[in-house]
Structures are given as C-alpha cells and as structure tokens.
Amino acid sequence: ASSTVSHIGGGSLTVHTASNLNLGGAAPLLALTVNTAGTVTATAVVTAASFSRAGGNYTDGGYAHSIGGSITNSAAGTFTSTGIWDHTATGTITTAVAKIFKHIKLGGTGIVSTVAGALAAKEFTIKSGGTVSGNNTFTIDPAAATDPWHQTADSAALTATQLVLNYITNSISVGS
C-alpha cells in the first residue's frame, strides 16, 4: 500500500517512499526530487522550479507539470507520462530516450530550453519568443497523434548544432 504525500508548497520536497503525490493548490515548490525504490504517482497538478527523478518510478497521473529550470529524468526506473509538461523558465532538460513524455512544451518568451542529449515525446510544442538549444535528438514516439510537432510562425529559434527528428524507421535532419 502506498501513502499520500501532501505539501503546502514552497521550499523543496524529496519523496523517498512509494506514494501518491498531491500538490493540488499548493504554492510552487523550489525543487521536487523523486528518489525511491517504489513508484510515486502525481494525483494533482505539479508546479516546481525544478524536477529530478533520481531513482525509482514516476507517473505523472495525467496531470499538468509546470517546471521551471531543470528537468532531470535519466535515472533507472520507469517514467509514465500521460499529462502535459511545460518548461516554464530557462534551464536544462536531461533525459534518456526511453523516458517518453506524452507532451512537452519548450521555449517561450525569454526562455532558453537547453536539451542535453535525447528527448522523446509523443508530442512537442515549441512556444514562441524563446530558444531551444543544445545538440539535440528529438524522438517522436510512433504512437503519437498525426501532428506531433507544433511550431507557430514566430516560434522559438532552434539554435541546435544539429536537430534530428527520429520517426522509428526514418530520420529527418534540419541544419548541420
């Protein structure tokens, strides 16, 4: 049986035990760290200045996650995403290609989203007015909707040395 971790917001929170995570209505966290041998499941919207999955399993529960600063999701264990993740402040996103986001939004006015290594999602949105940087590989999961890449006419500048979109059997390279 898992317990429920509720937090009134502010400060930092590290979850060390398998639990349901309820941050509904709470003030934003400075940092949310998941480091457990079990599974942590969000049961409400999550807003934090940073997110780190240092160990264990994390399920976003289909809830929106607004994360400013860094998102680190490369540790062993599973990551299950059915919600929208919004990168809301300048920072680095470090993840493993096997950790697939349902939908991740990058960039935005004045925001630099630096992708370290590979980033996989069923849907990507590049928001206008910001920058997506890094030597990135974006992998679009084949189970995605028919329009998995969203980019408006005044979208964030893609300043990657190389941007590669992988679709399981073929690749599209933009830039060099």
Side-chain angles (χ1 to χ4, degrees), residues 19 31 103 117:
S19 57
H103 185 168

Side-chain angles (χ1 to χ4, degrees), residues 90-149:
T90 294
T92 301
I93 301 160
T94 306
T95 190
V97 77
K99 312 305 180 195
I100 300 171
F101 291 87
K102 177 198 176 262
H103 185 168
I104 190 161
K105 297 179 177 184
L106 305 172
T109 303
I111 296 171
V112 178
S113 295
T114 302
V115 178
L119 179 60
K122 292 182 179 178
E123 249 182 292
F124 289 94
T125 298
I126 307 298
K127 299 181 288 182
S128 64
T131 301
V132 177
S133 67
N135 191 0
N136 339 67
T137 299
F138 293 87
T139 299
I140 297 175
D141 185 284
T146 55
D147 184 20
W149 187 267

